[in-house]
């Protein structure tokens, strides 16, 4: 499963910036606002081609992970331009090679629509986040509006072949992994959301 | 408009209404997927996908049923198709305005 996911995102790396260019324009400001509280040691999950690094505050030390080597190759240039320190690492979100309570801030952008076993991945984030740390999420999720949700369900078998699932309950998964969601904001309909979560009890 | 035109080219009066509805939905969804691939990178994936799916899937059903029941001219087909498209895009934009912002329930 992991090799299949890696191959899929290696293929997607070729066209990713072109396909997401309008989304980047539309959501850049919302991402910037979400990430402005990032501080200390930071983890950015599924950094992709690296364009989200431009929305991070300057001066941070960021461990930027992705499962795809091709994505990380493309992220080199944005990482080099970031006014801080970025370490690009190929790693599976479900098996993070970091000690418990390592990071002050963790940022994810459209990540848990793709990670197989999302709750397992989110539990890993729970483990490596410091007790007073913050998980910052910019994710698309399944709508609660029936006709739109049905469309997302119908298109997911197709979209999954090329990229992400369209119908994940990511904020529900965040809670299932032991986080407490402290802010949830709709950015486009109730599909594209920005949010913050902290470690819950346990 | 593209959905209405594609369906008009395929479904003719006399088709069984249920079959026409299903075929209309299938054609509409296919047109929607093509529109998403072409326009998504320029307008935004979700911004194309959501109104496109409403027009394609649900509009496709309506156009299919309409074409099975009456002989409509190309001008009527295209005007009604454009009207449905405008209404769907406007409705989604208004609904986006309603939903946008912090969600009650989170702390």
């Amino acid at each position: 499963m992991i090799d299949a996911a890696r191959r899929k995102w290696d293929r997607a790396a070729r066209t990713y910036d072109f396909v997401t260019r309008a989304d980047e324009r539309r959501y850049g400001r919302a991402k910037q606002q979400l990430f402005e509280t990032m501080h200390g040691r930071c983890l950015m999950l599924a950094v992709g081609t690296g364009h989200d690094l431009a929305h991070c505050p300057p001066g941070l030390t960021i461990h930027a992970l992705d499962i795809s080597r091709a994505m990380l190759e493309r992220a080199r240039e944005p990482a080099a331009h970031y006014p801080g320190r970025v370490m690009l690492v190929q790693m599976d979100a479900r098996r993070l090679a970091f000690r418990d309570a390592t990071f002050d801030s963790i940022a994810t952008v459209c990540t848990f629509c793709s990670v197989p076993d999302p709750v397992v991945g989110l539990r890993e984030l729970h483990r490596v986040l410091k007790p007073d740390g913050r998980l910052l999420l910019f994710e698309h999720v399944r709508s609660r509006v029936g006709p739109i949700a049905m469309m997302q369900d119908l298109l997911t078998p197709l979209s999954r072949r090329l990229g992400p699932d369209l119908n994940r309950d990511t904020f529900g998964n965040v809670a299932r992994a032991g986080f407490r969601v402290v802010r949830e904001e709709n950015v486009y309909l109730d599909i594209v959301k920005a949010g913050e979560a902290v470690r819950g009890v346990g | 408009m593209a959905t209405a035109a594609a369906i008009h080219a395929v479904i003719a009066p006399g088709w069984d209404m249920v079959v026409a509805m299903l075929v209309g939905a299938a054609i509409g969804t296919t047109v929607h997927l093509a529109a998403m691939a072409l326009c998504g990178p320029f307008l935004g994936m979700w911004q194309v996908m959501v109104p496109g799916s409403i027009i394609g899937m649900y509009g496709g059903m309506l156009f299919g049923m309409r074409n099975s029941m009456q002989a409509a001219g190309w001008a009527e087909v295209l005007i009604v198709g454009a009207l449905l498209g405008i209404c769907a895009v406007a409705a989604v934009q208004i609904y986006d305005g309603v939903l946008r912002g912090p969600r009650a329930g989170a702390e």
Side-chain angles (χ1 to χ4, degrees), chain A residues 18-19 21-23 25-27 140 145 147 150-151 154-155 180 182 184-190 192-193, chain B residues 32-33 40-47 49-51 53 57-58 92 95-96 99-103 106-107:
Chain A
F18 173 74
V19 169
R21 55 192 269 181
D23 293 328
R25 273 201 312 274
R26 279 180 188 277
Y27 305 135
H140 61 79
V145 182
M150 193 173 90
M151 173 274 297
L154 287 172
L155 289 181
R180 189 160 52 87
V182 294
E184 187 179 331
E185 187 171 336
N186 291 329
V187 178
Y188 178 66
L189 294 168
D190 64 342
V192 181
K193 287 175 181 275
Chain B
H32 152 230
L33 290 175
F42 304 101
L43 300 174
M45 280 297 166
W46 291 109
Q47 281 74 12
M49 189 185 296
V50 175
S53 66
M57 194 183 299
Y58 303 108
V92 170
Y95 199 37
D96 177 40
L99 290 177
R100 193 175 293 186
R103 194 176 156 263
E107 192 176 274

Side-chain angles (χ1 to χ4, degrees), chain B residues 60-84:
Chain B
M61 289 179 186
L62 290 174
F63 292 139
M65 284 197 293
R66 188 268 314 273
N67 277 34
S68 73
M69 287 190 292
Q70 67 179 73
W74 274 103
E76 181 191 343
V77 165
L78 295 177
I79 289 167
V80 173
L83 270 176
L84 183 84

Side-chain angles (χ1 to χ4, degrees), chain A:
Chain A
M1 191 196 291
I2 186 75
D3 285 339
R6 193 174 288 143
R7 279 197 301 273
K8 176 171 78 176
W9 289 107
D10 280 348
R11 278 196 304 272
R14 284 178 234 151
T15 53
Y16 189 80
D17 283 340
F18 173 74
V19 169
T20 60
R21 55 192 269 181
D23 293 328
E24 183 53 27
R25 273 201 312 274
R26 279 180 188 277
Y27 305 135
R29 191 176 159 80
K31 289 179 193 172
Q32 202 160 9
Q33 285 173 348
L34 176 67
F35 293 161
E36 66 189 7
T37 59
M38 284 174 79
H39 67 282
R41 287 191 79 178
C42 301
L43 176 66
M44 179 170 269
L45 221 60
V47 68
T49 57
H51 55 226
D52 290 323
L53 291 168
H55 306 307
C56 298
L60 299 173
T61 298
I62 303 173
H63 288 76
L65 314 184
D66 205 284
I67 195 173
S68 159
R69 183 165 292 282
M71 287 282 190
L72 290 171
E73 287 292 325
R74 287 173 184 265
R76 276 189 188 177
E77 196 183 324
H81 284 98
Y82 173 71
R85 196 162 164 235
V86 178
M87 282 148 289
L88 297 171
V89 186
Q90 188 178 18
M91 200 180 287
D92 181 355
R94 297 168 301 171
R95 284 188 293 276
L96 298 177
F98 299 109
R99 289 184 182 160
D100 294 0
T102 299
F103 295 102
D104 298 286
S105 307
I106 300 178
T108 77
V109 177
C110 299
T111 301
F112 285 96
C113 51
S114 309
V115 175
D117 313 318
V119 177
V120 174
L122 285 159
R123 283 201 184 116
E124 273 292 88
L125 298 191
H126 190 275
R127 181 181 68 76
V128 300
L129 185 65
K130 288 181 180 175
D132 59 347
R134 293 246 159 182
L135 172 63
L136 308 171
L137 303 135
F138 191 91
E139 299 280 346
H140 61 79
V141 302
R142 187 178 192 268
S143 174
R144 289 173 190 269
V145 182
I148 298 174
M150 193 173 90
M151 173 274 297
Q152 290 176 289
D153 293 339
L154 287 172
L155 289 181
T156 290
L158 177 66
S159 71
R160 188 181 289 154
R161 289 172 178 272
L162 306 169
D165 286 15
L166 304 179
N167 61 351
R168 293 267 181 99
D169 174 21
T170 295
F171 280 76
N173 288 338
V174 167
R176 275 172 218 117
F179 287 99
R180 189 160 52 87
V181 176
V182 294
R183 187 170 76 86
E184 187 179 331
E185 187 171 336
N186 291 329
V187 178
Y188 178 66
L189 294 168
D190 64 342
I191 296 175
V192 181
K193 287 175 181 275
E196 285 182 51
V198 296
R199 284 177 59 148
V201 180

